[in-house]
């Protein structure tokens, strides 16, 4: 569920990880944030957006089919657990928010012994995954699921998952429903199993592109197509996961620069990346 409206940028070879601080704001950045506060989306429209959230993501995949996002070959580079999983047999992974399979299909190809449960909010996205010839029943279980309401245990056995991934997914949910989603995932992860997380970080460039009338709440915005995006601080992310029964192994900002050659722009991107482990019972 990555950003569905930001122009295409190409990453340049720069990356910095900093556990304490996102990017430093300029005066122009502060002015943009202040202007966003001048026109907050009404409560009525916010309730409408919540009711239509699944429909808006389904329409997104109807418009873009499988062509919007590139396959995520970078994930094994960023998460050493995924790289090491290529050497281990019979691991079970849950991809929460699988989209059309840009993460799961490269990973299945790289690790013949891996089994992946893959779910998404959008029925259309899940159907794209099922229709892909690489989605073999003995390797992949794809199903539609609202992480905030539908019990994952209806499709995934309790405490059976070695690793779960949340890659640009939690930010699409309303902040009030995020705890329910994490508790849901907690129920199917094994004790000692982990969640690998990456999403939008506080003061990411995309956060400043929203015009007045698109802000829903602090760090929470709606795009033109009705999909929503939240921008996390590491502090609130740690609180969310610990409240759901996970311990924090790593939790940091990732600072990148991306370039749009057509527009001659080089912009700062801020992501949050972490690993959270389900505590073993004593």
């Amino acid at each position: 569920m990555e950003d569905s409206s930001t122009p295409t940028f190409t990453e340049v070879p720069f990356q910095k990880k900093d556990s304490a601080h996102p990017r430093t704001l300029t005066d122009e950045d502060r002015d943009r944030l202040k202007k966003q506060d001048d026109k907050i989306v009404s409560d009525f429209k916010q309730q409408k957006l919540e009711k239509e959230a699944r429909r808006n993501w389904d329409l997104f995949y109807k418009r873009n089919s499988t062509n919007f996002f590139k396959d995520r070959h970078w994930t094994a580079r960023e998460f050493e657990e995924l790289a090491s999983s290529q050497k281990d047999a019979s691991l079970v992974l849950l991809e929460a928010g699988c989209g059309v399979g840009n993460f799961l299909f490269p990973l299945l190809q790289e690790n013949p012994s891996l089994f992946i449960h893959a779910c998404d909010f959008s029925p259309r996205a899940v159907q794209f995954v099922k229709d892909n010839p690489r989605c073999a029943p003995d390797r992949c279980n794809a199903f539609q699921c609202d992480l905030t309401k539908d019990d994952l245990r209806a499709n995934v056995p309790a405490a059976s998952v070695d690793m779960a991934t949340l890659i640009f997914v939690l930010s699409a949910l309303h902040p009030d429903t995020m705890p329910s989603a994490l508790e849901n995932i907690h129920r199917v992860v094994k004790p000692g199993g982990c969640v690998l997380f990456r999403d939008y970080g506080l003061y990411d460039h995309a956060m400043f592109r929203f015009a007045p009338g698109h802000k829903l709440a602090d760090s929470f915005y709606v795009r033109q197509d009705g999909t929503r995006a939240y921008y996390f601080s590491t502090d609130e992310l740690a609180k969310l996961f610990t409240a759901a029964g996970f311990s924090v192994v790593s939790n940091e900002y990732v600072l990148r620069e991306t370039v749009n050659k057509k527009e001659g722009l080089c912009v700062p991107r801020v992501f949050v990346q972490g690993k959270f482990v389900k505590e073993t019972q004593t």
Side-chain angles (χ1 to χ4, degrees), residues 4-280:
S4 60
S5 60
T6 302
T8 300
F9 287 84
T10 302
E11 289 187 358
V12 296
F14 164 84
Q15 175 171 305
K16 178 183 178 182
K17 293 187 178 181
D18 189 324
S19 61
H21 303 288
R23 57 179 279 206
T24 301
L25 298 185
T26 65
D27 290 339
E28 183 181 1
D29 291 333
R30 295 187 182 91
D31 288 342
R32 288 182 177 179
L33 291 177
K34 187 175 181 181
K35 288 178 180 178
Q36 291 174 349
D37 290 332
D38 293 340
K39 190 177 181 182
I40 305 296
V41 176
S42 68
D43 289 342
F44 174 79
K45 186 174 181 181
Q46 293 207 37
Q47 292 173 11
K48 188 172 184 288
L49 287 168
E50 180 67 16
K51 291 178 181 178
E52 296 179 351
R54 184 171 71 176
R55 174 179 175 271
N56 288 332
W57 276 108
D58 222 37
L59 289 173
F60 169 81
Y61 287 111
K62 181 179 181 180
R63 288 191 302 271
N64 297 288
S65 182
T66 60
N67 302 316
F68 192 84
F69 301 121
K70 297 179 180 179
D71 282 355
R72 291 169 173 165
H73 294 281
W74 54 266
T75 49
R77 182 186 72 236
E78 292 292 333
F79 295 106
E80 61 182 23
E81 294 81 7
L82 293 176
S84 62
S85 76
Q86 298 171 23
K87 305 173 185 177
D88 299 328
S90 66
L91 283 179
V92 177
L93 186 143
L94 166 68
E95 186 187 6
C98 63
V100 297
N102 299 103
F103 167 77
L104 73 95
F105 290 127
L107 198 58
L108 285 173
Q109 183 178 1
E110 292 162 2
N111 185 347
S113 301
L114 188 66
F115 183 90
I116 298 181
H117 297 286
C119 66
D120 200 271
F121 197 18
S122 164
R124 191 179 300 272
V126 172
Q127 194 59 50
F128 278 129
V129 171
K130 290 181 175 180
D131 290 344
N132 192 305
R134 294 178 290 177
C135 183
D138 60 334
R139 302 290 316 283
C140 179
N141 168 35
F143 59 97
Q144 192 277 331
C145 179
D146 179 347
L147 290 171
T148 69
K149 297 177 181 178
D150 303 331
D151 194 332
L152 280 167
R153 291 173 296 184
N155 290 279
V156 182
S160 66
V161 170
D162 297 288
M163 289 183 289
T165 61
L166 277 170
I167 310 293
F168 296 103
V169 172
L170 202 63
S171 58
L173 306 181
H174 191 288
D176 291 347
T177 67
M178 292 177 187
S180 297
L182 294 181
E183 290 164 8
N184 200 0
I185 293 171
H186 184 272
R187 289 191 284 266
V188 298
V189 173
K190 293 178 179 178
C194 68
V195 176
L196 305 178
F197 182 93
R198 188 173 175 115
D199 218 318
Y200 301 111
L202 188 65
Y203 304 145
D204 178 49
H205 171 74
M207 183 174 170
F208 297 93
R209 297 184 66 252
F210 290 102
H214 288 262
K215 185 171 182 178
L216 303 169
D218 288 345
S219 304
F220 193 39
Y221 298 84
V222 60
R223 305 184 183 99
Q224 293 285 357
D225 62 3
T227 61
R228 297 169 296 179
Y230 190 88
Y231 297 83
F232 293 94
S233 72
T234 52
D235 287 343
E236 61 188 336
L237 195 61
K239 290 177 182 177
L240 280 168
F241 272 93
T242 53
F246 295 93
S247 59
V248 180
V249 176
S250 62
N251 180 27
E252 58 194 354
Y253 293 105
V254 178
L255 310 182
R256 285 187 178 274
E257 289 180 355
T258 55
V259 60
N260 184 322
K261 295 181 180 179
K262 183 177 180 180
E263 297 184 15
L265 295 175
C266 185
V267 299
R269 301 305 308 267
V270 182
F271 306 112
V272 282
Q273 183 167 309
K275 177 182 177 181
F276 307 91
V277 172
K278 181 174 178 176
E279 299 173 355
T280 56

